[in-house]
Amino acid sequence: MRSICVVTATRAEYGLLRPVVQKLAASADLQLRLVVTGAHLCPRLGLTVTEIEKDGFAIDARLPIFTDDAAEPVAQTLARTLTVFDEYFAQNAPDCLLVLGDRFEIFAVATAAAARHIPIAHISGGDVTLGAADEYYRHCISKMAAVHFASCADSAARLVRLGEAPDRVCCVGGLGDENIRTLPKLSREALCASTGFALMQPFALVTYHPETSADAGSPAAQCQALCRAMESVPGIFWLMTGSNADAGGQVCSDTLRAFAAAHPDRAGFVQNLGLQRYLSAMQYASLVAGNSSSGVVETPTFQVPTVNIGKRQAGRLVCANVLGCAPDADAIAETMRKALSPEFAAVAATAKSPYNGGDTSAKICAVLRSFDFSAPKSFYDGPVPHFDPERNIDL
C-alpha cells in the first residue's frame, strides 16, 4: 500500500485539501498520513486544528513551528520548520509527500522532504501571484516536485515552460471549484445563527492579507485604507475574517477587529469562519472584497461581484466578476460602489470559472495511485502541449 503524507498548515489550504484527504482516508490502496502544522496549532491564529478534528480525520502528527512572536522573521520560522520536518521524515518517510500551494511553511516542508529523497506531488503549481513572496516559493516547490496537479490550462502550460515534462503535469481543475460544487452550504438563516450577525441584509465578505513582495507598502496603512473605504460605502454589512500568518498579518487582523468593534451595527469580525461557513457566506454575499486568492479563484463559480485590492494576486486569471483597484481608500470605495451596482451584478453573472475540472480530488488520487515516482526527472525543453482540465483521467 502506497503511503501519502499530506501536510496542512493553514485554514485555507486545508479547506482545499479536504476532499483529497477524504478520498485518501477512504482508499483501500492508499494510506493517508495527515500531518498538521503552522497556523492550525497556533492560538493567536485561531487554532484551526479543531476544524480538522471535527471532520474526524486521524492526525498522524502535530508539529508546531510558530512561536508566540507574530513578528518573528520568516527565515527563523523556515529554519525551525526544516529541522522539525527533517526529524519527522527521518522517522516516518512516506512513499510520497502531497502539498498544496505556495506558503513559506510548505516550501520548508517540501525542502525537508526533497533532502530526504521523498517524492513530492504538488497541487496548484504554475499559478502566478506577483504581489506576494508566495510567487517564488511556489515555483521552488514545483522544481522539487515529481508530479504536478495544475488548477487550469494556463498554469499547466506555465509548468511546462518552467521545464517540467508534460507527462508529469496533470491538469485536474481547482479543488476550490470542486468544494463549491459539492460541499453542502448553510442556509442564510443558519449562517446568521452561526456567526451571530444579521446577514439577511446585504453584506460583503472581506479578507485582507499583507502584501509580501519586496516593494510592498505597509500592511497597516493598506488595511486602514480598506477600513476608511468600508466606512464610506453605505447600505452594506461588512463580515470580516482574520488574516494569515505572513509578516503583518496580525496587524491586519487587529485593524479589522477594531473596525468591527467601532461599528457594531455595520460590521462583524470572525477570526476563522471555517470552510462551510466561508463558502456559505460567499454564496450569499453581495460583494467579496480584499486580496485573498479565493476572491479571484473561487468567486467566479458563484458569479459574485468581487473587488481585488492591490497586487497580492497580480498575474492570476481574472474573470468577469472581478474588479481590481489600488490599495487606496478612495479607489477601493469607488470600486466597491461599482461592484455593488445592478449593472455590474449583471456582468458578474456572466463569469465562467476556468478551474472546473470535474472530480478534481478523485483525479489527484488516481494519479497518486499509479504514478511512477522512481522515474528520474529531467529538464524538459520541448513544445508546450494543449491542456484541458476536463480531460478524462482514468478513475
Side-chain angles (χ1 to χ4, degrees):
M1 181 180 290
R2 178 172 279 183
S3 59
I4 310 296
C5 177
V6 179
V7 177
T8 175
T10 72
R11 66 189 186 198
E13 170 197 74
Y14 171 70
L16 295 172
L17 284 169
R18 185 173 178 270
V20 181
V21 173
Q22 285 179 319
K23 288 182 173 64
L24 288 173
S27 174
D29 54 357
L30 292 172
Q31 178 189 24
L32 169 66
R33 294 185 187 175
L34 182 60
V35 177
V36 176
T37 188
H40 287 308
L41 305 177
C42 186
R44 64 180 170 81
L45 294 169
L47 205 64
T48 48
V49 66
T50 56
E51 187 175 343
I52 302 172
E53 292 169 340
K54 288 177 184 176
D55 285 338
F57 296 124
I59 297 174
D60 189 65
R62 302 170 192 238
L63 304 179
I65 57 172
F66 289 144
T67 68
D68 293 334
D69 181 9
E72 179 180 74
V74 169
Q76 293 182 20
T77 310
L78 285 172
R80 182 182 306 109
T81 306
L82 269 168
T83 299
V84 167
F85 275 86
D86 179 68
E87 292 173 354
Y88 174 78
F89 290 138
Q91 300 297 321
N92 304 273
D95 294 314
C96 171
L97 169 69
L98 178 66
V99 292
L100 182 147
D102 44 33
R103 296 285 308 164
F104 64 87
E105 308 97 305
I106 295 302
F107 163 71
V109 172
T111 302
R116 291 277 176 183
H117 305 291
I118 296 169
I120 298 167
H122 185 206
I123 300 171
S124 291
D127 291 354
V128 174
T129 49
L130 298 177
D134 300 353
E135 171 78 357
Y136 49 80
Y137 291 132
R138 181 190 308 108
H139 297 326
C140 287
I141 297 169
S142 291
K143 296 312 298 180
M144 292 186 283
V147 64
H148 310 273
F149 299 114
S151 61
C152 64
D154 280 8
S155 295
R158 191 173 292 111
L159 283 164
V160 176
R161 292 197 296 273
L162 284 169
E164 299 302 297
D167 60 358
R168 292 178 177 271
V169 178
C170 306
C171 188
V172 296
L175 288 168
D177 186 89
E178 179 184 351
N179 275 334
I180 291 169
R181 289 183 284 103
T182 61
L183 185 73
K185 317 297 188 301
L186 297 174
S187 69
R188 194 155 179 165
E189 292 80 5
L191 182 64
C192 293
S194 178
T195 61
F197 300 123
L199 302 178
M200 299 304 292
Q201 61 187 309
F203 72 92
L205 177 62
V206 180
T207 303
Y208 194 85
H209 302 304
E211 291 188 8
T212 54
S213 59
D215 60 348
S218 161
Q222 292 181 4
C223 205
Q224 288 162 3
L226 169 60
C227 289
R228 291 196 298 274
M230 292 190 293
E231 196 167 33
S232 69
V233 177
I236 193 157
F237 185 90
W238 305 99
L239 175 62
M240 301 173 291
T241 69
S243 189
N244 62 17
D246 285 339
Q250 190 65 50
V251 171
C252 291
S253 292
D254 291 345
T255 301
L256 295 178
R257 187 182 288 107
F259 180 86
H263 303 80
D265 296 330
R266 295 196 56 205
F269 178 88
V270 180
Q271 177 65 40
N272 175 47
L273 283 169
L275 180 62
Q276 185 182 45
R277 291 196 300 176
Y278 187 80
L279 291 182
S280 300
M282 188 178 287
Q283 174 173 279
Y284 301 123
S286 299
L287 171 70
V288 172
N291 63 1
S292 168
S293 60
S294 63
V296 178
V297 175
E298 295 171 35
T299 61
T301 304
F302 282 121
Q303 300 178 321
V304 58
T306 299
V307 172
N308 179 50
I309 302 168
K311 298 187 297 182
R312 185 177 175 90
Q313 302 304 327
R316 285 197 190 273
L317 284 171
V318 176
C319 295
N321 67 304
V322 180
L323 293 171
C325 67
D328 167 81
D330 291 340
I332 297 170
E334 179 182 355
T335 310
M336 284 177 169
R337 293 189 188 99
K338 179 178 179 180
L340 288 165
S341 69
E343 293 79 10
F344 188 74
V347 173
T350 68
K352 179 175 173 57
S353 173
Y355 301 101
N356 185 351
D359 196 348
T360 295
S361 58
K363 291 180 179 180
I364 290 172
C365 289
V367 174
L368 290 174
R369 191 173 286 115
S370 61
F371 189 81
D372 180 8
F373 288 109
S374 67
K377 177 179 171 177
S378 60
F379 197 95
Y380 175 79
D381 280 315
V384 179
H386 170 72
F387 287 97
D388 181 359
E390 297 184 7
R391 176 179 64 88
N392 289 329
I393 291 176
D394 292 337
L395 302 180

